[in-house]
Amino acid sequence: MTDQPGGFNALLAAWTAGPMLSIGLTLGAFIVAQWLFARLRRPLWLPPVMIAALLLAAVVAASGLGFERYEAGARWLTVLLGPATVALGVPLYQQMHHIRALWRPIMVTLPLAASLAAFYALAIAWLMGAAPMVLASLAPKSVTAPIAMGITEELGGSVSLTLGGLLITGVLASLFVDWCARWLRITDDRIIGFALGLNGHAIGTARAFEISHTAGAFASLGMGLTGVFTALFLPLAFWMI
């Protein structure tokens, strides 16, 4: 009986020293966020990923765990981002018939929109006197996280700052695409979905699937093509500028 407290403490110490604590906190925060999102009647301005991020940040700060310790444990989750990047080829393949049928408007809108998404963020940050590291971190803010992290590391930016920009961009893109579609009286789910995926990456794509399957399919197409285009051309354009 006297060994039980010591054994429990040793087990607790081993559990908190490994990656299980960070993984458990991350998954728990997302499950709670999904529940809260449903209870709040699914507000556009507060998606589950933002709720989970806020909850996780509060727990990490209040518990004294520390970001460095949490990040070391959560590194196991980031390993999955590599396969997630490769898996983007699946929705692209599934939407190949849309690419063939609509290759002309896609060829016109995608390079222009993806370039503007990076340009206006860089222009605003540059006018405000941002350092090169900040510029490199904000440049891929409209690209899905697995690709954006790789671009940021290549440009010499901060992955943490990029992820914050991705979160804000996804939420605002979902809001503004929805508002602009109503204001401009756009009812074609293909256009709305493509705009959500192109500007709002995974968060916008999740919102598109709430609208319809067609919108979700075109959002997946926009997100995948934007990621490919940005990964190919943004590093070159960044260093040339």
Side-chain angles (χ1 to χ4, degrees):
M1 295 296 291
T2 56
D3 293 334
Q4 287 183 358
F8 174 78
N9 291 334
L11 180 62
L12 181 63
W15 189 75
T16 56
M20 293 305 299
L21 178 60
S22 297
I23 294 174
L25 287 175
T26 304
L27 296 178
F30 186 74
I31 293 172
V32 173
Q34 291 279 23
W35 179 80
L36 288 174
F37 183 64
R39 294 284 294 179
L40 294 172
R41 299 183 180 179
R42 312 177 75 85
L44 281 178
W45 55 273
L46 195 63
V49 64
M50 176 170 281
I51 300 175
L54 294 174
L55 288 174
L56 190 58
V59 171
V60 170
S63 64
L65 178 64
F67 174 74
E68 292 77 12
R69 188 175 175 186
Y70 166 77
E71 184 184 28
R75 202 166 292 158
W76 288 86
L77 292 174
T78 60
V79 173
L80 300 176
L81 291 176
T85 304
V86 178
L88 289 176
V90 175
L92 285 179
Y93 174 78
Q94 292 174 338
Q95 306 307 320
M96 190 60 67
H97 57 291
H98 290 311
I99 297 177
R100 293 194 188 99
L102 300 170
W103 68 270
R104 289 184 180 86
I106 289 175
M107 288 293 292
V108 172
T109 57
L110 179 72
L112 179 62
S115 299
L116 285 175
F119 173 77
Y120 78 78
L122 290 174
I124 294 173
W126 179 75
L127 289 173
M128 296 180 68
M133 184 273 292
V134 177
L135 297 176
S137 305
L138 294 178
K141 63 163 186 59
S142 294
V143 186
T144 188
I147 298 177
M149 292 173 66
I151 296 174
T152 299
E153 291 175 349
E154 183 177 349
L155 299 181
S158 168
V159 173
S160 299
L161 184 56
T162 298
L163 293 177
L166 287 173
L167 181 60
I168 296 172
T169 299
V171 173
L172 291 180
S174 299
L175 284 171
F176 279 98
V177 168
D178 188 74
W179 291 342
C180 289
R182 295 178 185 177
W183 181 51
L184 298 173
R185 298 181 181 179
I186 298 174
T187 57
D188 192 330
D189 286 352
R190 298 175 301 174
I191 298 175
I192 297 173
F194 193 74
L196 282 168
L198 196 153
N199 294 283
H201 47 82
I203 297 177
T205 301
R207 166 57 185 159
F209 273 106
E210 294 178 359
I211 297 174
S212 70
H213 180 75
T214 300
F218 273 84
S220 300
L221 175 63
M223 179 180 65
L225 291 178
T226 301
V228 173
F229 176 85
T230 306
L232 290 175
F233 293 102
L234 181 60
L236 177 62
F238 187 85
W239 291 118
M240 288 178 62
I241 295 175

